[in-house]
Amino acid sequence: MTNRGGLLITGAALADGARGDLYLADGVLADPASAPAGVERLDADGLLALPGLVDLHTHLRQPGREDAETVSSGTAAAARGGFTCVHAMANTDPVTDTAEAAEYVADLGEREGHCEVRVVGAVTKGLEGEELAELGLMADSAAGVRVYSDDGRCVGDSLLMRRALTYVKAFDGVIAQHSQDTRLAGPSACCHESEWSGRLGLPGWPSQAESVIVARDVQLAELAGARVHVCHVSTAESVEVIRWAKRRGIQVTAEVTPHHLLLDTPLVAGYDTRFKVNPPLRTSEHLEAVREALADGTIDAVATDHAPHASQDKDHPFDVALPGMLGLEQALAVVVEVMVNTGRMDWPTLVERMSATPARIGRVSGQGRPLAVGEPANVVLVDPAARAVVDASASASRSRNNPYGGRDLPDPVVATFWRGRPTYRR
Ligand code: DOR
Ligand code: ZN
């Protein structure tokens, strides 16, 4: 398939159920009636066509840990998952905390990416939590940074957090916080604090270690009149705080990961380090709370927290292995399974949560747009009925820490098109 000659996708249904042909030509959606005779065609009868998915939270590991992931391999995994845009987290080596570092990642994305790569800048220099990073210079750089995060670490200092919020307000940036009170849940905490942590002998991570930071941050966002985004919400208490803050008119948005929607604490009972993640997998009442919050919009978006790790960092006792799991390739599958197939959410709402809203939060133009003539040709074709047992070895990622391996799940992604070009075909 080529870009020039264009591609006519016929018979697909859109998220709202309407059927329409899509004509991808020169990177945009053109009027299907203008497609020349003999144009290449793709029969999409029985499939859904959705806007390309947008991930707000992806660890691409380049520069520094190219053994675990690269911009090329991570974005190839993204394309397989139906994504046409990812946000590359700043906890690389070196950290993305300067304009030069941000431009380096943006440039890699432009040259090697299988989807759009937006750069997340660090909030503090070296993620050390002591001095603000070059927030303004990163915004003004060619990378055009709008999302800032010390993810992996929490910005613990309230004054620094206030200053960061105030600073980024000037250019409509957002601080994406990894909410973890490190006094309540220190570096060794690795299991939801509950009967499970006690029984398994694993250091507990109480749900309040998350929600106390969320409660502080929404009040700081109110004080600064700025936008705060809560990364990987995992607890019922955080949901309640966000609900309160939204009712008050505070500019807060939030994301939930696929794994916090589907996987629960008892999975860690086998000490399988694929299930070690930060924040940890929670118990069923928390899973229910985040599912309900995603359905009603209290949680605005799904974000993967795709966190590839090399086997030498995972093949350790549970308490010392690095936290993190793959997410890009099965994200849509998990959301379809947990939210759509259960009747909790319809397809238009899924598009809001996985494409339109994350693009808006990241201030990404040209992503998360409706599939209409004149819009960028970022499209994912979905088979809503297909299922498969996840084969973890079939991943495009360089890492194999896939928590879904061996699970029977929906297998929705048939093809992904970014700027009119196929980036994945099943
Ligand atoms: O499990 C996690 N892994 N949580 C984070 O916050 C960081 C991430 C990583 O970078 O591996
Ligand atoms: Zn995080």
Side-chain angles (χ1 to χ4, degrees), residues 226-313:
R227 294 199 291 141
V228 70
H229 176 76
V230 187
C231 293
H232 40 55
V233 171
S234 68
T235 76
E237 292 84 356
S238 298
V239 165
E240 279 311 309
V241 171
I242 294 162
R243 213 170 254 138
W244 170 84
K246 286 191 166 184
R247 270 204 309 270
R248 234 176 124 79
I250 294 169
Q251 299 180 73
V252 57
T253 55
E255 69 186 35
V256 63
T257 66
H259 48 272
H260 290 116
L261 287 169
L262 179 69
L263 307 176
D264 61 4
T265 311
L267 285 167
V268 308
Y271 300 98
D272 180 339
T273 61
R274 284 182 307 151
F275 299 116
K276 179 170 177 178
V277 68
N278 198 24
L281 301 180
R282 302 291 186 185
T283 45
S284 55
E285 58 276 22
H286 294 288
L287 269 62
E288 274 308 313
V290 293
R291 290 166 178 172
E292 190 188 317
L294 182 65
D296 73 19
T298 302
I299 294 177
D300 303 77
V302 173
T304 68
D305 197 2
H306 177 86
H309 286 301
S311 54
Q312 73 263 27
D313 292 318

Side-chain angles (χ1 to χ4, degrees), residues 15-28:
D16 63 4
R19 272 162 85 102
D21 295 348
L22 296 172
Y23 178 37
L24 286 58
D26 294 322
V28 297

Side-chain angles (χ1 to χ4, degrees), residues 95-298:
V95 170
T96 312
D97 58 3
T98 64
E100 290 74 19
E103 286 179 349
Y104 178 77
V105 175
D107 189 53
L108 269 177
E110 210 42 62
R111 283 189 286 115
E112 295 176 20
H114 301 276
C115 70
E116 182 167 352
V117 175
R118 299 285 309 162
V119 179
V120 177
V123 179
T124 68
K125 286 185 184 164
L127 310 177
E128 294 296 340
E130 279 164 15
E131 264 181 278
L132 289 185
E134 293 181 356
L135 307 180
L137 293 175
M138 287 192 275
D140 291 342
S141 77
V145 174
R146 288 294 176 275
V147 182
Y148 297 85
S149 183
D150 276 3
D151 182 63
R153 301 205 191 153
C154 182
V155 180
D157 183 320
S158 305
L159 178 58
L160 208 57
M161 185 64 178
R162 180 190 182 179
R163 285 191 180 136
L165 287 161
T166 304
Y167 201 124
V168 302
K169 186 189 169 185
F171 40 85
D172 198 22
V174 62
I175 305 293
Q177 174 75 292
H178 170 115
S179 309
Q180 176 175 4
D181 183 321
T182 52
R183 295 287 288 158
L184 291 173
S188 67
C190 62
C191 179
H192 175 58
E193 187 175 299
S194 59
E195 59 172 351
W196 287 101
S197 55
R199 195 184 305 165
L200 298 171
L202 293 172
W205 205 127
S207 64
Q208 288 77 4
E210 177 176 287
S211 54
V212 296
I213 296 294
V214 180
R216 182 202 69 175
D217 286 348
V218 295
Q219 293 177 80
L220 294 177
E222 182 172 43
L223 181 61
R227 294 199 291 141
V228 70
H229 176 76
V230 187
C231 293
H232 40 55
V233 171
S234 68
T235 76
E237 292 84 356
S238 298
V239 165
E240 279 311 309
V241 171
I242 294 162
R243 213 170 254 138
W244 170 84
K246 286 191 166 184
R247 270 204 309 270
R248 234 176 124 79
I250 294 169
Q251 299 180 73
V252 57
T253 55
E255 69 186 35
V256 63
T257 66
H259 48 272
H260 290 116
L261 287 169
L262 179 69
L263 307 176
D264 61 4
T265 311
L267 285 167
V268 308
Y271 300 98
D272 180 339
T273 61
R274 284 182 307 151
F275 299 116
K276 179 170 177 178
V277 68
N278 198 24
L281 301 180
R282 302 291 186 185
T283 45
S284 55
E285 58 276 22
H286 294 288
L287 269 62
E288 274 308 313
V290 293
R291 290 166 178 172
E292 190 188 317
L294 182 65
D296 73 19
T298 302

Side-chain angles (χ1 to χ4, degrees), residues 274 325-326 329-330 390-392 395 399-405:
R274 284 182 307 151
M325 40 180 68
L326 300 186
E329 287 165 311
Q330 274 77 43
V390 174
D391 176 2
S395 177
S399 292
R400 288 294 173 267
N401 52 318
N402 187 329
Y404 309 109

